[in-house]
Amino acid sequence: MISVKRIGYAMGCMCSTGWLRVALIFAVLALWSCQSEEPVDGEKGDGVAEGSAADSAAVDSASAEKGMDAIPVEVARARLGSISSYLLFNSTIETEEAVQVFPQISGLVERVAAEEGDRVQAGDTLLYIEDDQLRIAFQEAKVNFEFQEGNFRRNEAMFERKLLSDQDYETKRFELEQARLRYDRARLELEHSIVVAPFSGVITERHVQVGARVSSGTQLYDLIKLDDMIARVFVPGQYLMSVRRDQVAAINSDFLPDQEFSGWVKRISPVVDPRSGTFKVTVGVRDRFEALRPGIFVSVRIVTDTHEQAVLVPKEAIVYDGGEQYLFAVRDTVAQRILLEPGYENIASVEALSGIEAGERIITVGQNGLKDGARVRVVETDETDANLPTAARSDSADIRRD
């Protein structure tokens, strides 16, 4: 009986010990599983490094963007000045006085005294025509006239003493007048053997050579006067009341790009050509140094209106976008985009009717592709006075329409 109890007790102990072992095994397995899900030290360190690097890159990018250099630009200041509207035309320079020189007698050219490009004064000798026969004819006429003059004096004394009839007296007086006329004609022909300049000017072309035979229909020279230049333009009839005598004009030429010449309306034709619908206007040109030459192509601007104390900005500052014109003004190191409301304009400048104040810095270099509100850095400022021609063009090279 005792032995049976002991056996049962021993078996109970063994069962209890087995369950403990099973529980312990499951605990170990669970602990191992949890540890395997955690990263090893190296992997955990790499992940932290990667996160730190990303955070550092983001910080560096933001810092670089915040501290990035501003866009360099050049600026010029908007200025106050006068600017005008005008009518624009193309023309060529002419001279008011241009003549073709012809001889008044026939003969051989003995000597040429003036060449192309020579400046001559009125009365200066241009050319000599052979005059040997003319001198002989002149001497003959002179001798005959002197003889007739002496003979007439003797006959006049006889007539006063009633020793000569009235008819004979009239005949002698007639012969004297004929001799006088032949003498004057011979003297005049001899004088015409020397061809002289009819007015002061410049020889533009010589047409004859020494030894050539010339007559009254042979052209010798072309002579022009450079101190009285004009340009003829043909203005549409709709502007007949807009153009007046002595109206200010300006003349430019591509041949002389750095020069502008002043002018004035000299003459206005009172009629409109029915075929072209235009009327002729002659513009006088002031050219002290005679830089312009006949035949040069020019643009003529007849001023029709002038705005005083207008705000002027450089034309090179304009940015075109979608049919509109814009400017960039530098305000507190920031480029501000401003819609330009243009007024009159000239070769160098345009009038800003609103949005711009005199003295503002307008970007002239670097504005293309610039964004509104972009930070900029001024590297050069044009502080010189703008070269503003007196006259200026309006829209479509005509009077600006409101």
Side-chain angles (χ1 to χ4, degrees), residues 119-332:
R119 292 179 178 270
V120 296
Q121 300 298 319
D124 284 355
T125 300
L126 304 180
L127 181 142
Y128 293 90
I129 295 176
E130 192 176 79
D131 61 356
D132 294 342
Q133 294 183 3
L134 297 176
R135 289 184 179 278
I136 294 173
F138 171 73
Q139 291 296 333
E140 182 180 3
K142 181 179 179 182
V143 170
N144 183 53
F145 170 68
E146 291 175 349
F147 171 77
Q148 293 293 343
E149 188 176 31
N151 188 38
F152 176 75
R153 283 197 297 265
R154 290 189 296 271
N155 284 282
E156 187 176 30
M158 293 175 62
F159 176 73
E160 290 176 354
R161 294 197 302 267
K162 306 299 182 182
L163 299 176
L164 190 67
S165 66
D166 292 345
Q167 183 177 359
D168 291 341
Y169 176 76
E170 291 298 329
T171 301
K172 296 300 181 183
R173 188 167 67 176
F174 175 73
E175 292 174 352
L176 175 63
E177 290 302 320
Q178 281 188 320
R180 186 192 306 276
L181 293 174
R182 285 193 293 268
Y183 170 68
D184 290 340
R185 181 161 53 279
R187 178 173 52 83
L188 194 59
E189 288 179 350
L190 182 61
E191 291 176 355
H192 286 165
S193 66
I194 301 176
V195 181
V196 298
F199 56 79
S200 300
V202 178
I203 301 294
T204 60
E205 190 169 0
R206 176 171 62 89
H207 298 276
V208 294
Q209 304 290 335
V210 174
R213 177 169 291 280
V214 297
S215 63
S216 58
T218 305
Q219 184 178 351
L220 304 178
Y221 291 97
D222 286 320
L223 177 66
I224 66 170
K225 197 170 185 179
L226 290 180
D227 57 357
D228 194 5
M229 310 299 285
I230 60 170
R232 292 186 174 93
V233 298
F234 295 88
V235 182
Q238 67 193 83
Y239 300 119
L240 185 60
M241 304 305 297
S242 300
V243 182
R244 304 175 302 277
R245 286 191 62 183
D246 298 326
Q247 204 163 349
V248 175
I251 296 91
N252 293 91
S253 175
D254 292 338
F255 294 94
L256 303 167
D258 298 328
Q259 298 188 49
E260 181 175 275
F261 304 90
S262 62
W264 76 101
V265 175
K266 195 171 185 179
R267 293 189 299 273
I268 302 174
S269 174
V271 297
V272 176
D273 185 349
R275 292 172 296 180
S276 63
T278 61
F279 61 98
K280 185 175 68 173
V281 175
T282 303
V283 177
V285 182
R286 297 183 178 93
D287 182 13
R288 288 182 54 196
F289 302 104
E290 298 182 356
L292 293 173
R293 291 290 185 270
I296 288 181
F297 288 99
V298 294
S299 59
V300 180
R301 294 169 289 153
I302 300 176
V303 177
T304 58
D305 186 30
T306 300
H307 287 174
E308 303 291 345
Q309 296 298 304
V311 178
L312 307 179
V313 296
K315 291 182 73 174
E316 63 266 24
I318 299 175
V319 177
Y320 298 90
D321 186 7
E324 300 289 348
Q325 301 179 31
Y326 295 90
L327 297 172
F328 283 93
V330 178
R331 296 172 178 173
D332 296 330

Side-chain angles (χ1 to χ4, degrees), residues 61-100:
S61 176
S63 176
E65 183 177 355
K66 183 176 180 181
M68 180 177 57
D69 289 341
I71 300 173
V73 296
E74 295 181 12
V75 300
R77 294 192 180 274
R79 304 177 187 277
L80 290 178
S82 63
I83 195 165
S84 301
S85 171
Y86 56 81
L87 302 174
L88 176 63
F89 305 96
N90 293 321
S91 183
T92 55
I93 291 295
E94 303 176 39
T95 178
E96 283 277 57
E97 297 189 43
V99 298
Q100 298 174 335

